[in-house]
Amino acid sequence: MTLARTALRLCVAACLKGSDGDRPTMAEGRVYDSRIAELSPESFCDDAKATVILMTDGDEGEALSAQNGGPPFKRMIDVVVEMGMVMALNDEDGYVVGYPDTDARLEASLDLLEFQIMRRLAYAPAPMSVLFRKFTRIRSHQNHRQVLDDSGVKIACRILTLTCEVNDDRVQVYQTDALPTGFAVLPEPLRSVALVLPDGSPGHDACVAIAAGLAPLAAPGLLNFDVKVTNPNDAPDVEALIDLS
């Protein structure tokens, strides 16, 4: 099952980006979901400022118990958070990019950015943060430093990996006379995420497209269910009769 990964990425991206007037990190609106292109401050000015790129990497699932296989599984998904910014630099034209002006301040800025991210996910009372903690548990934390040097521009980057236990997709089967529409066709936890994403946002539009392409599972309605038990004082025999429409 894969839509739990989608729910996790969309929720984390919306959580860290916030909204106009409520930006929880120094990256402000520069939070990108599954961006393939690497940080390129020499060609994209916004990358010179604090930037966050989110991806989901490893995804493993185990049976919920020894007696029952999956799905649903106990999902462990790696959320990879790439944090980068550029040190203040004067080029030949006098153009200055970035804001930390020493190596020490650059590292401290990255530390602050990571603190803001973890505080937003783990402690903030914002609705999207609360929703994240409702279907996700962070089970481990890893961080390593990466320095990129491209075209003479010094970039400091940290890669934060959060291994998250995530609720698996909750698939439902509906009766043919009560089929859901809109976001109701989405399985949890994606349904809850879709309902709170701002209208017109990239995440909301993605959920609209997924819902439009996802037909609900349907089964005939149940008309009658009759159970008969014989020999109740000995080894009982059970007969069941099910009538479907």
Side-chain angles (χ1 to χ4, degrees):
M1 313 296 285
T2 56
L3 291 180
R5 281 203 307 270
T6 305
L8 182 58
R9 282 196 312 274
L10 294 180
C11 184
V12 172
C15 187
L16 298 185
K17 181 177 289 189
S19 60
D20 291 339
D22 179 26
R23 300 296 189 187
T25 76
M26 68 174 68
E28 299 181 341
R30 297 178 298 277
V31 179
Y32 303 99
D33 174 14
S34 304
R35 172 175 154 180
I36 302 300
E38 295 182 351
L39 293 170
S40 302
E42 66 280 3
S43 57
F44 186 45
C45 292
D46 273 358
D47 279 2
K49 303 175 184 178
T51 302
V52 172
I53 298 175
L54 298 170
M55 293 167 285
T56 46
D57 199 349
D59 183 355
E60 297 182 0
E62 296 182 357
L64 297 177
S65 69
Q67 290 78 27
N68 299 298
F73 294 107
K74 179 181 179 181
R75 298 279 291 278
M76 291 291 182
I77 301 175
D78 288 339
V79 178
V80 179
V81 185
E82 183 176 348
M83 303 169 290
M85 65 184 74
V86 175
M87 184 174 174
L89 178 68
N90 289 306
D91 64 13
E92 295 178 356
D93 298 326
Y95 175 64
V96 178
V97 293
Y99 31 76
D101 58 354
T102 67
D103 289 341
R105 291 176 180 176
L106 190 61
E107 286 299 311
S109 296
L110 286 172
D111 293 342
L112 173 59
L113 178 55
E114 181 180 347
F115 175 81
Q116 291 174 328
I117 289 171
M118 293 304 300
R119 182 178 65 175
R120 181 70 169 182
L121 294 176
Y123 298 100
M128 193 62 72
S129 301
V130 173
L131 176 58
F132 169 82
R133 296 192 292 271
K134 183 177 180 181
F135 72 91
T136 305
R137 296 291 182 272
I138 300 176
R139 295 303 185 189
S140 70
H141 164 286
Q142 295 182 8
N143 190 311
H144 68 271
R145 184 170 178 270
Q146 182 175 351
V147 177
L148 307 176
D149 189 6
D150 185 15
S151 301
V153 177
K154 185 176 181 180
I155 305 175
C157 180
R158 278 197 171 272
I159 309 297
L160 171 65
T161 302
L162 303 175
T163 299
C164 299
E165 180 181 343
V166 181
N167 292 349
D168 204 356
D169 296 304
R170 190 184 306 165
V171 177
Q172 294 180 273
V173 180
Y174 302 88
Q175 294 188 6
T176 53
D177 58 348
L179 294 180
T181 58
F183 286 160
V185 306
L186 299 174
E188 290 289 357
L190 182 57
R191 182 190 307 165
S192 293
V193 173
L195 289 172
V196 296
L197 289 171
D199 290 350
S201 66
H204 182 273
D205 291 345
C207 290
V208 170
I210 293 172
L214 190 64
L217 294 178
L222 183 64
L223 296 180
N224 184 44
F225 183 78
D226 186 23
V227 177
K228 180 190 301 182
V229 179
T230 58
N231 302 323
N233 297 324
D234 197 1
D237 296 326
V238 179
E239 296 179 0
L241 178 64
I242 301 176
D243 290 336
L244 300 176
S245 59

